[in-house]
Amino acid sequence: MSNSDKEALLVTGGAGFIGSNFIHYLLREHPDWRLVNLDKLTYAGNLESLAAVQHDPRYTFVHGDVADRELVDALFARYHFDLVAHLAAESHVDRSILDPAPFLETNVKGTQVLLEAARQYGVVKFLQVSTDEVYGSLGLADPPFTEESPLAPNSPYSASKAAADLLGRAYFVTFGVPVVTIRCGNNYGPYQHPEKFIPTVILNALEDKPVPVYGDGLNVRDWVHVEDHCRALDLALQKGQPGEVYNIGANNERTNLDTVKTILRLLGKPETLIKFVQDRPGHDRRYAINPAKLMAELGWQPQVSFDSGLAGTIEWYMAHRDWWERIISGEYLEYARRWYGGVVG
Ligand code: NAD
Ligand code: DAU
């Protein structure tokens, strides 16, 4: 563990959507902490999201793979981490349908490599950043997921995350690694990759292109603003009980069609842009999360309403055209070709 009086934190996947928001959040909220960001810079990693902190003396970027045991060992030996926030993952369900293999490598093997290093070197807390998708899908009349809901993942992505969570549980029970698992619903906000739903809707609508809605558009997602997720991750790092799971939800259940219509209205664009496309295989019908445990035990409350969060997110994408235009090229076009057979519109 760290020899200095400052907390040493390893963030994995810090160049991604939630990771970059979390690094900005932590450097703002914890002036004394030292952060190391280990990121492989896959298609989803973007150092431009961290440009504002790249010269901050409290922050170090390491380009590498969480599944690279030698590298991970060397980092633990060198930095003596007190805390680990493990966010690195292959995160997109559609890509896991095209090719599940990288999901097993990063999400399962990568998590095991990190847990093993935490076991060998000792940490105060290991935060396993998981997802509500490990619980599978709800019917419309079902109560929201609690921490006791059975694991029933339906996509290669969610199966790989469930496997990682179970490894975390085993490392806690067998080896005493202080793993805290946190499972959030769909996030939205700045720096989210354009392949995900809300950025897809905003960017296509801004360009007057058709907005692809899978199936009948009545699948329900329970949205959480990324800043509220970051606050929960921070609380879990500081106050979460080892061996425990905490769900995060903000009571923002919306059908995808409702979300699209809201965004079109905020942008002043016509609903005729909506284009129903082929459904995602195995598409989970509904997610809804009961966050009562997180609220009661860690004192978390969501602070961003869906309406204001969505309006702020739209403004952010309108003000950061350079950021997303550079992403929507090259690799992204190739992915869209494989998924849709071409970019919609
Ligand atoms: P993202 O795809 O935007 O970012 C993932 C990051 O991980 C990227 O920077 C990528 O380069 C990095 N990465 C991928 N493989 C790696 C490897 N082998 N080694 C090191 N780095 C690697 O993902 P996100 O949306 O920010 O999600 C972050 C975490 O939160 C994931 O674990 C995801 O399962 C979880 N989560 C996401 C959401 C959501 O709505 N986005 C909701 C709940 C939980
Ligand atoms: O619930 C948490 C999960 O949320 C995270 O674990 C995942 O990492 C994250 O990607 C997200 O998964 P989803 O599959 O729910 O998110 P996505 O943005 O891909 O899709 C949201 C909904 O919108 C889903 O019902 C599919 C639909 N959709 C998506 C896209 C990209 C469309 O209708 N059209 C689209 O173009």
Side-chain angles (χ1 to χ4, degrees):
M1 241 144 301
S2 146
N3 301 322
S4 91
D5 53 354
K6 299 180 194 312
E7 299 279 8
L9 169 64
L10 173 65
V11 178
T12 70
F17 162 46
I18 301 170
S20 56
N21 277 282
F22 192 43
I23 286 173
H24 288 297
Y25 173 94
L26 288 173
L27 290 172
R28 213 171 53 231
E29 296 296 319
H30 298 288
D32 283 352
W33 288 16
R34 291 175 297 127
L35 310 186
V36 173
N37 171 17
L38 171 60
D39 197 296
K40 189 178 174 182
L41 298 181
T42 67
Y43 78 91
N46 188 348
L47 288 180
E48 285 183 39
S49 308
L50 293 164
V53 303
Q54 64 179 332
H55 299 303
D56 191 314
R58 299 168 298 160
Y59 168 76
T60 305
F61 174 69
V62 178
H63 183 199
D65 190 335
V66 289
D68 178 345
R69 182 149 187 194
E70 265 180 43
L71 171 66
V72 168
D73 273 359
L75 291 177
F76 274 77
R78 173 167 179 192
Y79 291 102
H80 308 285
F81 299 116
D82 303 289
L83 304 170
V84 176
H86 176 34
L87 291 94
E90 287 292 338
S91 72
H92 192 32
V93 173
D94 295 342
R95 288 183 189 253
S96 81
I97 293 166
L98 287 173
D99 183 7
F103 289 72
L104 297 188
E105 183 65 20
T106 289
N107 301 2
V108 184
K109 182 177 171 205
T111 301
Q112 189 271 330
V113 167
L114 288 164
L115 286 165
E116 188 58 31
R119 171 163 95 101
Q120 300 288 338
Y121 291 89
V123 293
V124 175
K125 202 78 61 75
F126 184 108
L127 190 60
Q128 164 62 9
V129 180
S130 184
T131 166
D132 63 344
E133 297 200 15
V134 297
Y135 299 121
S137 182
L138 292 169
L140 287 186
D142 291 335
F145 299 127
T146 70
E147 292 78 4
E148 276 69 50
S149 299
L151 299 188
N154 291 319
S155 71
Y157 161 69
S158 52
S160 69
K161 293 295 290 187
D165 287 12
L166 293 179
L167 281 168
R169 176 189 152 86
Y171 267 74
F172 168 71
V173 173
T174 304
F175 304 120
V177 176
V179 178
V180 173
T181 302
I182 192 139
R183 297 182 178 142
C184 192
N186 287 64
N187 279 218
Y188 68 103
Y191 301 116
Q192 186 166 31
H193 192 283
E195 71 187 354
K196 300 288 170 63
F197 182 53
I198 285 184
T200 297
V201 178
I202 296 172
L203 302 190
N204 283 29
L206 276 176
E207 306 284 284
D208 295 307
K209 289 180 178 168
V211 171
V213 174
Y214 297 172
D216 61 8
L218 298 182
N219 301 70
V220 173
R221 294 296 182 264
D222 195 352
W223 295 96
V224 177
H225 193 273
V226 66
E227 278 290 307
D228 281 329
H229 192 180
C230 289
R231 264 187 284 278
L233 297 179
D234 187 17
L235 280 169
L237 270 176
Q238 297 190 70
K239 303 203 301 192
Q241 287 302 309
E244 292 295 316
V245 175
Y246 301 91
N247 287 349
I248 314 175
N251 285 319
N252 278 320
E253 280 189 67
R254 300 280 189 287
T255 66
N256 293 337
L257 207 49
D258 279 346
T259 301
V260 173
K261 286 181 181 173
T262 306
I263 294 171
L264 292 175
R265 183 173 45 74
L266 288 168
L267 283 170
K269 300 288 183 179
E271 292 186 6
T272 49
L273 285 180
I274 294 172
K275 180 175 179 188
F276 291 96
V277 300
Q278 194 184 352
D279 208 355
R280 169 189 284 173
H283 196 174
D284 286 337
R285 194 59 170 170
R286 173 177 168 238
Y287 304 142
I289 305 115
N290 179 342
K293 180 176 174 184
L294 185 72
M295 290 174 159
E297 295 185 15
L298 304 191
W300 178 83
Q301 286 287 339
Q303 292 177 14
V304 185
S305 74
F306 193 56
D307 285 350
S308 73
L310 207 48
T313 302
I314 290 172
E315 276 169 29
W316 188 88
Y317 280 94
M318 290 175 80
H320 293 82
R321 183 171 272 274
D322 282 1
W323 182 90
W324 55 263
E325 275 187 345
R326 273 196 280 276
I327 296 173
I328 304 185
S329 61
E331 189 278 345
Y332 181 75
L333 291 179
E334 171 57 18
Y335 153 74
R337 188 191 62 71
R338 287 184 67 203
W339 182 252
Y340 294 118
V343 183
V344 171

